[in-house]
Amino acid sequence: MTNSINTDPIFNSKTRPQSADDEISNFDKVNYLEVTRHQHEQRLDNFLLNRLKGLPKAHIYKMIRSDEVRVNNKRCKAHDRVHREDVVRIAPVKLATREKPIISTEFAKSLLARVVFEDDGLIVLNKPSGIAVHGGSGLDFGVIEAMREVTGKKYLELVHRIDKDTSGLLMISKKRSTLKVLQQHLVDKTIQKHYLCLAKGQPALNEQRIDAPLLRFTLASGERRVKVEASAAQNQDPQAKESQTDIVVHSRFMLANLPVSLIEAKPLTGRTHQIRVHLAHIGHPILGDEKYNPQDKSGVHRLCLHAWRLDIPDYEVITAPLPEDMAALLPTSTELPKV
């Protein structure tokens, strides 16, 4: 592989690229970052999100489309992969340089106490509801930034994401090799995720598969949502993605004089808001879901969706107990599913 530093005419002895492992200190100038082994084969958009913390994702995509980002002095796309020794040129960014997030000792200890599994390549964290997995869109930091700060590890990367208001198991890689293996498992659908949720109503069937394609769309306010596209319709939007979720009803009971069910949901595909939209689609939206259950009358003040169990090839089964605020809504006689 030819090292682009030697062939790119924009470089001279005074404009050498900095390592992409180091934080950008000045956003007001053109920055040249040399990709290291830690970012090898990472998507360009994810590479930029990790280095332009606090910049909205939409702004990053606009920069790429506007040719404000180049790789080895060539135009690029968000899904392109960067490789070791590539040089990424980033135009000046209107982003105030932030100080490192101040993580309180109490919060740090509580976060570390939520680690339910760790080996030399993987951390699995029981994320609390209400905390985003990463910073941006007005948030100083999320779980991944806090974990990097608390552990002092330069390389920690999210293997996947879960919604801010969803609690439960979140995989964080400590090594690039582990990240690649686990993400390939996700592509191959060989990792099975199990979620527990409290849903409105009581489904007639104990078990069923929801097979309904999902389509992302944007409200007039700019907020992103997801909806079901009828698969039988001839005019189905080509952007709709095939989506399936298996559900098992474990318990039916009354809450605030309303029929409610404890449901285990197993997504067979990994679409945004998939479980939330699929359950709403069959008439059993999740309690506390402000987006897809706005008429909720249960009085519940949190999204009752919890990433409960992970089945990963070559790993032990990993679980996270139901959070206390969700468990408190269940009748005392309720039996939770066995591992």
Side-chain angles (χ1 to χ4, degrees), residues 228-274:
V228 166
E229 280 284 282
S231 58
Q234 292 183 353
N235 61 346
Q236 178 183 330
D237 193 307
Q239 298 298 315
K241 295 183 177 181
E242 177 185 359
S243 308
Q244 298 91 26
T245 305
D246 285 343
I247 66 169
V248 178
V249 180
H250 286 286
S251 178
R252 297 174 175 86
F253 58 97
M254 302 296 290
L255 178 66
N257 295 318
L258 298 171
V260 171
S261 298
L262 172 65
I263 292 176
E264 178 182 351
K266 296 182 287 185
L268 306 182
T269 49
R271 313 303 181 198
T272 300
H273 297 172
Q274 177 174 317

mmCIF file of all heavy atoms in Angstrom, residues 228-274:
data_model
loop_
_atom_site.group_PDB
_atom_site.id
_atom_site.type_symbol
_atom_site.label_atom_id
_atom_site.label_comp_id
_atom_site.label_asym_id
_atom_site.label_seq_id
_atom_site.Cartn_x
_atom_site.Cartn_y
_atom_site.Cartn_z
ATOM 1 N N VAL A 228 -44.450 1.193 9.863
ATOM 2 C CA VAL A 228 -44.605 -0.043 9.111
ATOM 3 C C VAL A 228 -45.088 0.280 7.704
ATOM 4 O O VAL A 228 -45.989 1.102 7.516
ATOM 5 C CB VAL A 228 -45.607 -0.992 9.813
ATOM 6 C CG1 VAL A 228 -46.031 -2.124 8.889
ATOM 7 C CG2 VAL A 228 -44.990 -1.554 11.085
ATOM 8 N N GLU A 229 -44.489 -0.374 6.727
ATOM 9 C CA GLU A 229 -44.939 -0.306 5.339
ATOM 10 C C GLU A 229 -45.581 -1.639 4.989
ATOM 11 O O GLU A 229 -44.944 -2.691 5.144
ATOM 12 C CB GLU A 229 -43.758 -0.054 4.393
ATOM 13 C CG GLU A 229 -43.317 1.388 4.327
ATOM 14 C CD GLU A 229 -44.261 2.255 3.505
ATOM 15 O OE1 GLU A 229 -44.191 2.203 2.271
ATOM 16 O OE2 GLU A 229 -45.076 2.965 4.124
ATOM 17 N N ALA A 230 -46.818 -1.626 4.521
ATOM 18 C CA ALA A 230 -47.516 -2.865 4.191
ATOM 19 C C ALA A 230 -46.788 -3.606 3.073
ATOM 20 O O ALA A 230 -46.628 -3.082 1.982
ATOM 21 C CB ALA A 230 -48.949 -2.567 3.777
ATOM 22 N N SER A 231 -46.340 -4.823 3.350
ATOM 23 C CA SER A 231 -45.527 -5.564 2.387
ATOM 24 C C SER A 231 -46.298 -5.944 1.132
ATOM 25 O O SER A 231 -45.717 -6.157 0.075
ATOM 26 C CB SER A 231 -44.961 -6.829 3.039
ATOM 27 O OG SER A 231 -46.010 -7.638 3.534
ATOM 28 N N ALA A 232 -47.626 -6.018 1.228
ATOM 29 C CA ALA A 232 -48.415 -6.444 0.078
ATOM 30 C C ALA A 232 -48.702 -5.295 -0.899
ATOM 31 O O ALA A 232 -49.132 -5.532 -2.022
ATOM 32 C CB ALA A 232 -49.729 -7.064 0.542
ATOM 33 N N ALA A 233 -48.466 -4.092 -0.467
ATOM 34 C CA ALA A 233 -48.801 -2.936 -1.307
ATOM 35 C C ALA A 233 -47.853 -2.839 -2.491
ATOM 36 O O ALA A 233 -46.640 -2.941 -2.340
ATOM 37 C CB ALA A 233 -48.732 -1.658 -0.471
ATOM 38 N N GLN A 234 -48.420 -2.646 -3.675
ATOM 39 C CA GLN A 234 -47.592 -2.552 -4.871
ATOM 40 C C GLN A 234 -46.734 -1.295 -4.871
ATOM 41 O O GLN A 234 -45.687 -1.255 -5.495
ATOM 42 C CB GLN A 234 -48.477 -2.585 -6.123
ATOM 43 C CG GLN A 234 -49.155 -3.926 -6.343
ATOM 44 C CD GLN A 234 -49.959 -3.935 -7.629
ATOM 45 O OE1 GLN A 234 -50.112 -2.912 -8.282
ATOM 46 N NE2 GLN A 234 -50.464 -5.112 -7.994
ATOM 47 N N ASN A 235 -47.219 -0.269 -4.195
ATOM 48 C CA ASN A 235 -46.477 0.987 -4.168
ATOM 49 C C ASN A 235 -45.612 1.123 -2.917
ATOM 50 O O ASN A 235 -45.315 2.214 -2.469
ATOM 51 C CB ASN A 235 -47.437 2.173 -4.249
ATOM 52 C CG ASN A 235 -48.419 2.215 -3.083
ATOM 53 O OD1 ASN A 235 -48.563 1.247 -2.350
ATOM 54 N ND2 ASN A 235 -49.093 3.347 -2.923
ATOM 55 N N GLN A 236 -45.212 -0.002 -2.352
ATOM 56 C CA GLN A 236 -44.365 0.035 -1.157
ATOM 57 C C GLN A 236 -43.093 0.819 -1.442
ATOM 58 O O GLN A 236 -42.463 0.661 -2.480
ATOM 59 C CB GLN A 236 -43.990 -1.388 -0.733
ATOM 60 C CG GLN A 236 -43.073 -1.425 0.485
ATOM 61 C CD GLN A 236 -42.666 -2.848 0.828
ATOM 62 O OE1 GLN A 236 -43.408 -3.782 0.579
ATOM 63 N NE2 GLN A 236 -41.478 -3.005 1.385
ATOM 64 N N ASP A 237 -42.720 1.664 -0.493
ATOM 65 C CA ASP A 237 -41.508 2.463 -0.640
ATOM 66 C C ASP A 237 -40.294 1.543 -0.742
ATOM 67 O O ASP A 237 -40.111 0.656 0.097
ATOM 68 C CB ASP A 237 -41.365 3.396 0.562
ATOM 69 C CG ASP A 237 -40.315 4.472 0.358
ATOM 70 O OD1 ASP A 237 -39.175 4.104 0.016
ATOM 71 O OD2 ASP A 237 -40.626 5.648 0.540
ATOM 72 N N PRO A 238 -39.442 1.737 -1.757
ATOM 73 C CA PRO A 238 -38.265 0.860 -1.906
ATOM 74 C C PRO A 238 -37.272 0.990 -0.756
ATOM 75 O O PRO A 238 -36.389 0.139 -0.598
ATOM 76 C CB PRO A 238 -37.647 1.314 -3.232
ATOM 77 C CG PRO A 238 -38.166 2.708 -3.444
ATOM 78 C CD PRO A 238 -39.535 2.723 -2.844
ATOM 79 N N GLN A 239 -37.390 2.060 0.045
ATOM 80 C CA GLN A 239 -36.494 2.243 1.182
ATOM 81 C C GLN A 239 -36.916 1.418 2.398
ATOM 82 O O GLN A 239 -36.163 1.316 3.364
ATOM 83 C CB GLN A 239 -36.437 3.730 1.578
ATOM 84 C CG GLN A 239 -35.899 4.647 0.495
ATOM 85 C CD GLN A 239 -34.473 4.306 0.124
ATOM 86 O OE1 GLN A 239 -33.644 4.084 0.992
ATOM 87 N NE2 GLN A 239 -34.182 4.267 -1.167
ATOM 88 N N ALA A 240 -38.131 0.849 2.348
ATOM 89 C CA ALA A 240 -38.596 0.024 3.473
ATOM 90 C C ALA A 240 -37.723 -1.220 3.599
ATOM 91 O O ALA A 240 -37.320 -1.815 2.607
ATOM 92 C CB ALA A 240 -40.051 -0.363 3.267
ATOM 93 N N LYS A 241 -37.422 -1.609 4.852
ATOM 94 C CA LYS A 241 -36.528 -2.740 5.087
ATOM 95 C C LYS A 241 -37.271 -3.893 5.761
ATOM 96 O O LYS A 241 -38.047 -3.695 6.704
ATOM 97 C CB LYS A 241 -35.346 -2.306 5.965
ATOM 98 C CG LYS A 241 -34.446 -1.276 5.277
ATOM 99 C CD LYS A 241 -33.253 -0.927 6.131
ATOM 100 C CE LYS A 241 -32.324 0.054 5.409
ATOM 101 N NZ LYS A 241 -31.140 0.400 6.227
ATOM 102 N N GLU A 242 -36.994 -5.093 5.262
ATOM 103 C CA GLU A 242 -37.592 -6.298 5.824
ATOM 104 C C GLU A 242 -37.282 -6.377 7.323
ATOM 105 O O GLU A 242 -36.142 -6.170 7.738
ATOM 106 C CB GLU A 242 -37.019 -7.512 5.101
ATOM 107 C CG GLU A 242 -37.509 -8.841 5.624
ATOM 108 C CD GLU A 242 -36.814 -10.019 4.946
ATOM 109 O OE1 GLU A 242 -35.958 -9.778 4.056
ATOM 110 O OE2 GLU A 242 -37.122 -11.164 5.313
ATOM 111 N N SER A 243 -38.284 -6.696 8.132
ATOM 112 C CA SER A 243 -38.110 -6.708 9.588
ATOM 113 C C SER A 243 -39.000 -7.773 10.218
ATOM 114 O O SER A 243 -40.188 -7.855 9.894
ATOM 115 C CB SER A 243 -38.464 -5.335 10.187
ATOM 116 O OG SER A 243 -37.764 -4.296 9.539
ATOM 117 N N GLN A 244 -38.405 -8.562 11.115
ATOM 118 C CA GLN A 244 -39.170 -9.590 11.818
ATOM 119 C C GLN A 244 -38.826 -9.585 13.314
ATOM 120 O O GLN A 244 -37.652 -9.421 13.679
ATOM 121 C CB GLN A 244 -38.878 -10.989 11.262
ATOM 122 C CG GLN A 244 -39.236 -11.200 9.807
ATOM 123 C CD GLN A 244 -38.089 -10.887 8.877
ATOM 124 O OE1 GLN A 244 -36.926 -10.981 9.264
ATOM 125 N NE2 GLN A 244 -38.396 -10.490 7.653
ATOM 126 N N THR A 245 -39.843 -9.774 14.119
ATOM 127 C CA THR A 245 -39.673 -9.880 15.567
ATOM 128 C C THR A 245 -40.515 -11.036 16.084
ATOM 129 O O THR A 245 -41.710 -11.117 15.774
ATOM 130 C CB THR A 245 -40.119 -8.587 16.285
ATOM 131 O OG1 THR A 245 -39.423 -7.460 15.749
ATOM 132 C CG2 THR A 245 -39.848 -8.679 17.789
ATOM 133 N N ASP A 246 -39.908 -11.930 16.851
ATOM 134 C CA ASP A 246 -40.656 -12.995 17.524
ATOM 135 C C ASP A 246 -41.024 -12.529 18.925
ATOM 136 O O ASP A 246 -40.179 -11.946 19.633
ATOM 137 C CB ASP A 246 -39.819 -14.272 17.627
ATOM 138 C CG ASP A 246 -39.721 -15.010 16.300
ATOM 139 O OD1 ASP A 246 -40.541 -14.728 15.394
ATOM 140 O OD2 ASP A 246 -38.824 -15.869 16.163
ATOM 141 N N ILE A 247 -42.257 -12.775 19.328
ATOM 142 C CA ILE A 247 -42.667 -12.381 20.681
ATOM 143 C C ILE A 247 -43.276 -13.576 21.416
ATOM 144 O O ILE A 247 -43.894 -14.452 20.810
ATOM 145 C CB ILE A 247 -43.648 -11.194 20.692
ATOM 146 C CG1 ILE A 247 -44.981 -11.569 20.050
ATOM 147 C CG2 ILE A 247 -43.041 -9.986 20.001
ATOM 148 C CD1 ILE A 247 -46.065 -10.521 20.272
ATOM 149 N N VAL A 248 -43.053 -13.598 22.723
ATOM 150 C CA VAL A 248 -43.625 -14.614 23.606
ATOM 151 C C VAL A 248 -44.264 -13.889 24.787
ATOM 152 O O VAL A 248 -43.606 -13.056 25.436
ATOM 153 C CB VAL A 248 -42.546 -15.587 24.127
ATOM 154 C CG1 VAL A 248 -43.161 -16.607 25.087
ATOM 155 C CG2 VAL A 248 -41.839 -16.284 22.981
ATOM 156 N N VAL A 249 -45.538 -14.174 25.054
ATOM 157 C CA VAL A 249 -46.225 -13.561 26.193
ATOM 158 C C VAL A 249 -45.966 -14.427 27.426
ATOM 159 O O VAL A 249 -46.323 -15.606 27.457
ATOM 160 C CB VAL A 249 -47.734 -13.438 25.933
ATOM 161 C CG1 VAL A 249 -48.423 -12.803 27.146
ATOM 162 C CG2 VAL A 249 -47.997 -12.598 24.681
ATOM 163 N N HIS A 250 -45.353 -13.833 28.447
ATOM 164 C CA HIS A 250 -45.024 -14.592 29.663
ATOM 165 C C HIS A 250 -46.040 -14.390 30.777
ATOM 166 O O HIS A 250 -46.170 -15.238 31.666
ATOM 167 C CB HIS A 250 -43.633 -14.194 30.167
ATOM 168 C CG HIS A 250 -42.521 -14.744 29.337
ATOM 169 N ND1 HIS A 250 -42.152 -16.063 29.360
ATOM 170 C CD2 HIS A 250 -41.700 -14.142 28.437
ATOM 171 C CE1 HIS A 250 -41.144 -16.264 28.527
ATOM 172 N NE2 HIS A 250 -40.859 -15.117 27.941
ATOM 173 N N SER A 251 -46.738 -13.247 30.753
ATOM 174 C CA SER A 251 -47.698 -12.993 31.832
ATOM 175 C C SER A 251 -48.723 -11.962 31.356
ATOM 176 O O SER A 251 -48.395 -11.055 30.589
ATOM 177 C CB SER A 251 -46.962 -12.480 33.073
ATOM 178 O OG SER A 251 -47.863 -12.188 34.116
ATOM 179 N N ARG A 252 -49.964 -12.134 31.821
ATOM 180 C CA ARG A 252 -51.030 -11.165 31.557
ATOM 181 C C ARG A 252 -51.600 -10.732 32.895
ATOM 182 O O ARG A 252 -51.894 -11.567 33.752
ATOM 183 C CB ARG A 252 -52.128 -11.782 30.687
ATOM 184 C CG ARG A 252 -51.670 -12.202 29.287
ATOM 185 C CD ARG A 252 -52.794 -12.943 28.544
ATOM 186 N NE ARG A 252 -52.440 -13.250 27.169
ATOM 187 C CZ ARG A 252 -51.769 -14.324 26.776
ATOM 188 N NH1 ARG A 252 -51.347 -15.199 27.696
ATOM 189 N NH2 ARG A 252 -51.515 -14.531 25.507
ATOM 190 N N PHE A 253 -51.771 -9.428 33.091
ATOM 191 C CA PHE A 253 -52.260 -8.929 34.375
ATOM 192 C C PHE A 253 -52.881 -7.545 34.186
ATOM 193 O O PHE A 253 -52.902 -6.998 33.072
ATOM 194 C CB PHE A 253 -51.129 -8.900 35.410
ATOM 195 C CG PHE A 253 -49.934 -8.059 35.008
ATOM 196 C CD1 PHE A 253 -49.801 -6.747 35.448
ATOM 197 C CD2 PHE A 253 -48.923 -8.587 34.205
ATOM 198 C CE1 PHE A 253 -48.707 -5.985 35.080
ATOM 199 C CE2 PHE A 253 -47.824 -7.836 33.842
ATOM 200 C CZ PHE A 253 -47.720 -6.533 34.277
ATOM 201 N N MET A 254 -53.369 -6.969 35.268
ATOM 202 C CA MET A 254 -53.974 -5.632 35.235
ATOM 203 C C MET A 254 -53.041 -4.643 35.922
ATOM 204 O O MET A 254 -52.462 -4.941 36.970
ATOM 205 C CB MET A 254 -55.336 -5.646 35.927
ATOM 206 C CG MET A 254 -56.336 -6.626 35.336
ATOM 207 S SD MET A 254 -56.776 -6.226 33.629
ATOM 208 C CE MET A 254 -57.744 -4.709 33.887
ATOM 209 N N LEU A 255 -52.924 -3.462 35.332
ATOM 210 C CA LEU A 255 -52.117 -2.387 35.909
ATOM 211 C C LEU A 255 -52.913 -1.100 35.774
ATOM 212 O O LEU A 255 -53.275 -0.708 34.664
ATOM 213 C CB LEU A 255 -50.774 -2.257 35.180
ATOM 214 C CG LEU A 255 -49.843 -1.137 35.645
ATOM 215 C CD1 LEU A 255 -49.366 -1.398 37.077
ATOM 216 C CD2 LEU A 255 -48.645 -0.999 34.708
ATOM 217 N N ALA A 256 -53.197 -0.450 36.899
ATOM 218 C CA ALA A 256 -54.027 0.766 36.904
ATOM 219 C C ALA A 256 -55.345 0.500 36.180
ATOM 220 O O ALA A 256 -55.829 1.324 35.390
ATOM 221 C CB ALA A 256 -53.286 1.926 36.255
ATOM 222 N N ASN A 257 -55.928 -0.683 36.448
ATOM 223 C CA ASN A 257 -57.201 -1.107 35.858
ATOM 224 C C ASN A 257 -57.140 -1.283 34.344
ATOM 225 O O ASN A 257 -58.172 -1.243 33.668
ATOM 226 C CB ASN A 257 -58.323 -0.129 36.225
ATOM 227 C CG ASN A 257 -58.610 -0.124 37.712
ATOM 228 O OD1 ASN A 257 -58.640 -1.186 38.356
ATOM 229 N ND2 ASN A 257 -58.809 1.065 38.273
ATOM 230 N N LEU A 258 -55.938 -1.449 33.814
ATOM 231 C CA LEU A 258 -55.763 -1.652 32.379
ATOM 232 C C LEU A 258 -55.090 -2.999 32.134
ATOM 233 O O LEU A 258 -54.186 -3.385 32.879
ATOM 234 C CB LEU A 258 -54.902 -0.535 31.776
ATOM 235 C CG LEU A 258 -55.450 0.887 31.858
ATOM 236 C CD1 LEU A 258 -54.374 1.880 31.410
ATOM 237 C CD2 LEU A 258 -56.699 1.030 30.997
ATOM 238 N N PRO A 259 -55.507 -3.733 31.103
ATOM 239 C CA PRO A 259 -54.856 -5.004 30.785
ATOM 240 C C PRO A 259 -53.447 -4.764 30.234
ATOM 241 O O PRO A 259 -53.237 -3.908 29.373
ATOM 242 C CB PRO A 259 -55.770 -5.624 29.724
ATOM 243 C CG PRO A 259 -56.470 -4.462 29.104
ATOM 244 C CD PRO A 259 -56.625 -3.436 30.190
ATOM 245 N N VAL A 260 -52.488 -5.522 30.770
ATOM 246 C CA VAL A 260 -51.078 -5.353 30.420
ATOM 247 C C VAL A 260 -50.449 -6.738 30.273
ATOM 248 O O VAL A 260 -50.913 -7.704 30.887
ATOM 249 C CB VAL A 260 -50.340 -4.532 31.512
ATOM 250 C CG1 VAL A 260 -48.832 -4.519 31.289
ATOM 251 C CG2 VAL A 260 -50.867 -3.101 31.548
ATOM 252 N N SER A 261 -49.380 -6.829 29.467
ATOM 253 C CA SER A 261 -48.680 -8.104 29.291
ATOM 254 C C SER A 261 -47.176 -7.919 29.446
ATOM 255 O O SER A 261 -46.626 -6.888 29.032
ATOM 256 C CB SER A 261 -48.958 -8.689 27.899
ATOM 257 O OG SER A 261 -50.331 -8.957 27.724
ATOM 258 N N LEU A 262 -46.548 -8.932 30.043
ATOM 259 C CA LEU A 262 -45.088 -9.012 30.071
ATOM 260 C C LEU A 262 -44.683 -9.850 28.866
ATOM 261 O O LEU A 262 -45.057 -11.026 28.756
ATOM 262 C CB LEU A 262 -44.600 -9.674 31.360
ATOM 263 C CG LEU A 262 -43.102 -9.995 31.413
ATOM 264 C CD1 LEU A 262 -42.261 -8.727 31.387
ATOM 265 C CD2 LEU A 262 -42.775 -10.826 32.660
ATOM 266 N N ILE A 263 -43.930 -9.253 27.956
ATOM 267 C CA ILE A 263 -43.597 -9.882 26.684
ATOM 268 C C ILE A 263 -42.086 -9.985 26.512
ATOM 269 O O ILE A 263 -41.352 -9.044 26.832
ATOM 270 C CB ILE A 263 -44.210 -9.079 25.512
ATOM 271 C CG1 ILE A 263 -45.739 -9.187 25.545
ATOM 272 C CG2 ILE A 263 -43.666 -9.544 24.162
ATOM 273 C CD1 ILE A 263 -46.436 -8.353 24.488
ATOM 274 N N GLU A 264 -41.643 -11.128 26.011
ATOM 275 C CA GLU A 264 -40.255 -11.285 25.583
ATOM 276 C C GLU A 264 -40.231 -11.091 24.069
ATOM 277 O O GLU A 264 -40.965 -11.761 23.337
ATOM 278 C CB GLU A 264 -39.731 -12.670 25.943
ATOM 279 C CG GLU A 264 -38.298 -12.918 25.485
ATOM 280 C CD GLU A 264 -37.813 -14.318 25.808
ATOM 281 O OE1 GLU A 264 -38.532 -15.048 26.546
ATOM 282 O OE2 GLU A 264 -36.722 -14.700 25.320
ATOM 283 N N ALA A 265 -39.387 -10.179 23.609
ATOM 284 C CA ALA A 265 -39.283 -9.888 22.174
ATOM 285 C C ALA A 265 -37.886 -10.249 21.694
ATOM 286 O O ALA A 265 -36.888 -9.870 22.308
ATOM 287 C CB ALA A 265 -39.572 -8.410 21.911
ATOM 288 N N LYS A 266 -37.837 -10.983 20.581
ATOM 289 C CA LYS A 266 -36.556 -11.388 19.986
ATOM 290 C C LYS A 266 -36.495 -10.860 18.558
ATOM 291 O O LYS A 266 -37.103 -11.433 17.650
ATOM 292 C CB LYS A 266 -36.417 -12.913 20.012
ATOM 293 C CG LYS A 266 -36.365 -13.494 21.418
ATOM 294 C CD LYS A 266 -36.173 -14.998 21.411
ATOM 295 C CE LYS A 266 -37.438 -15.711 20.987
ATOM 296 N NZ LYS A 266 -37.288 -17.199 21.092
ATOM 297 N N PRO A 267 -35.789 -9.747 18.352
ATOM 298 C CA PRO A 267 -35.688 -9.202 16.989
ATOM 299 C C PRO A 267 -34.806 -10.091 16.115
ATOM 300 O O PRO A 267 -33.689 -10.427 16.501
ATOM 301 C CB PRO A 267 -35.060 -7.824 17.208
ATOM 302 C CG PRO A 267 -34.296 -7.951 18.493
ATOM 303 C CD PRO A 267 -35.072 -8.919 19.335
ATOM 304 N N LEU A 268 -35.308 -10.464 14.960
ATOM 305 C CA LEU A 268 -34.528 -11.265 14.016
ATOM 306 C C LEU A 268 -33.760 -10.371 13.053
ATOM 307 O O LEU A 268 -32.848 -10.822 12.357
ATOM 308 C CB LEU A 268 -35.442 -12.217 13.244
ATOM 309 C CG LEU A 268 -36.335 -13.124 14.100
ATOM 310 C CD1 LEU A 268 -37.148 -14.050 13.215
ATOM 311 C CD2 LEU A 268 -35.505 -13.921 15.097
ATOM 312 N N THR A 269 -34.159 -9.101 13.004
ATOM 313 C CA THR A 269 -33.438 -8.080 12.247
ATOM 314 C C THR A 269 -33.147 -6.938 13.199
ATOM 315 O O THR A 269 -33.733 -6.860 14.275
ATOM 316 C CB THR A 269 -34.284 -7.581 11.052
ATOM 317 O OG1 THR A 269 -35.605 -7.251 11.513
ATOM 318 C CG2 THR A 269 -34.378 -8.641 9.974
ATOM 319 N N GLY A 270 -32.267 -6.037 12.821
ATOM 320 C CA GLY A 270 -31.836 -4.984 13.752
ATOM 321 C C GLY A 270 -32.189 -3.594 13.276
ATOM 322 O O GLY A 270 -31.298 -2.763 13.086
ATOM 323 N N ARG A 271 -33.469 -3.319 13.090
ATOM 324 C CA ARG A 271 -33.894 -2.003 12.604
ATOM 325 C C ARG A 271 -34.111 -1.022 13.756
ATOM 326 O O ARG A 271 -34.427 -1.418 14.880
ATOM 327 C CB ARG A 271 -35.194 -2.117 11.801
ATOM 328 C CG ARG A 271 -35.226 -3.219 10.760
ATOM 329 C CD ARG A 271 -34.110 -3.110 9.756
ATOM 330 N NE ARG A 271 -34.202 -4.171 8.753
ATOM 331 C CZ ARG A 271 -33.218 -4.547 7.973
ATOM 332 N NH1 ARG A 271 -32.031 -3.956 8.066
ATOM 333 N NH2 ARG A 271 -33.392 -5.514 7.087
ATOM 334 N N THR A 272 -33.982 0.255 13.458
ATOM 335 C CA THR A 272 -34.226 1.308 14.441
ATOM 336 C C THR A 272 -35.645 1.197 14.991
ATOM 337 O O THR A 272 -36.610 1.089 14.224
ATOM 338 C CB THR A 272 -34.034 2.694 13.791
ATOM 339 O OG1 THR A 272 -32.695 2.801 13.296
ATOM 340 C CG2 THR A 272 -34.300 3.804 14.790
ATOM 341 N N HIS A 273 -35.773 1.227 16.323
ATOM 342 C CA HIS A 273 -37.076 1.208 17.014
ATOM 343 C C HIS A 273 -37.926 -0.003 16.649
ATOM 344 O O HIS A 273 -39.155 0.021 16.796
ATOM 345 C CB HIS A 273 -37.868 2.493 16.716
ATOM 346 C CG HIS A 273 -37.221 3.739 17.202
ATOM 347 N ND1 HIS A 273 -37.703 5.001 16.880
ATOM 348 C CD2 HIS A 273 -36.118 3.947 17.963
ATOM 349 C CE1 HIS A 273 -36.930 5.928 17.434
ATOM 350 N NE2 HIS A 273 -35.962 5.306 18.093
ATOM 351 N N GLN A 274 -37.294 -1.080 16.189
ATOM 352 C CA GLN A 274 -38.041 -2.210 15.630
ATOM 353 C C GLN A 274 -39.089 -2.777 16.578
ATOM 354 O O GLN A 274 -40.261 -2.935 16.201
ATOM 355 C CB GLN A 274 -37.072 -3.320 15.217
ATOM 356 C CG GLN A 274 -37.775 -4.573 14.701
ATOM 357 C CD GLN A 274 -36.805 -5.603 14.155
ATOM 358 O OE1 GLN A 274 -35.875 -5.260 13.454
ATOM 359 N NE2 GLN A 274 -37.029 -6.869 14.476
#
